[in-house]
């Protein structure tokens, strides 16, 4: 066993040193990858998808980006059934201001304080409600 360890170390060192010797390493001659094949000249292919503009049509650059995004995501305005349209009309869906989402965060918006009772109900843990209690302020 004692003779095997030094012999194994010597064999390992000789193999490691054999890999390091003699070659030119990074200075060897390499093939030129551009000389392998002749380069074709650059040609811009014709674009057959372009159509001439129609007189009176809206220019594509003038479309609203958010409208284009909504149409791309959801396919434009969906047809509503008679029942759905009646519910929207009764709820005032046709009288909603377009900028209502930006008005909600306005500091001038009036906020109604519903009190601690509503806060406690909303913050109550999930369950069947058998052990739920709250107190009304006096």
């Amino acid at each position: 066993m004692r003779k095997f360890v030094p012999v194994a170390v010597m064999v390992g060192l000789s193999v490691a040193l054999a890999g390091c010797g003699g070659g030119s390493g990074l200075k060897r001659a390499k093939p030129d990858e551009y000389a392998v094949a002749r380069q074709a000249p650059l040609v811009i292919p014709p674009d057959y998808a372009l159509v001439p503009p129609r007189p009176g049509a809206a220019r594509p650059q003038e479309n609203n980006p958010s409208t284009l995004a909504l149409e791309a995501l959801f396919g434009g305005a969906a047809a509503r059934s008679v029942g759905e349209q009646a519910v929207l009309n009764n709820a005032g869906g046709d009288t909603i201001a377009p900028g209502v989402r930006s008005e909600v965060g306005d500091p001038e918006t009036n906020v109604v304080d519903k009190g601690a009772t509503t806060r406690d109900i909303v913050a109550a843990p999930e369950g069947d409600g058998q052990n739920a209690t709250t107190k009304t302020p006096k």
Side-chain angles (χ1 to χ4, degrees), residues 10-12 14 16 22 26 35-36 42 51-52 58 67-68 73 77 81 85 87 90 96 110-111 113 116 123 130 134:
M10 293 300 283
V11 170
S14 63
L26 298 175
V36 175
L42 296 176
V51 293
T67 305
L68 292 175
L73 288 172
S81 66
Q85 191 62 42
V87 169
N90 286 339
I96 295 174
N110 293 330
V111 179
D113 185 15
Q130 295 297 323
T134 185

Side-chain angles (χ1 to χ4, degrees), residues 30-40:
K30 300 174 188 164
D32 186 10
E33 61 270 5
Y34 296 107
V36 175
R38 181 176 242 181
Q39 290 185 358

Side-chain angles (χ1 to χ4, degrees), residues 33-73:
E33 61 270 5
Y34 296 107
V36 175
R38 181 176 242 181
Q39 290 185 358
L42 296 176
V43 177
I44 299 174
D47 190 2
Y48 295 110
L50 291 177
V51 293
R54 288 178 277 153
R59 296 174 52 119
Q61 298 88 353
E62 294 175 358
N63 290 338
N64 186 0
S66 60
T67 305
L68 292 175
L70 286 173
E71 287 178 5
L73 288 172

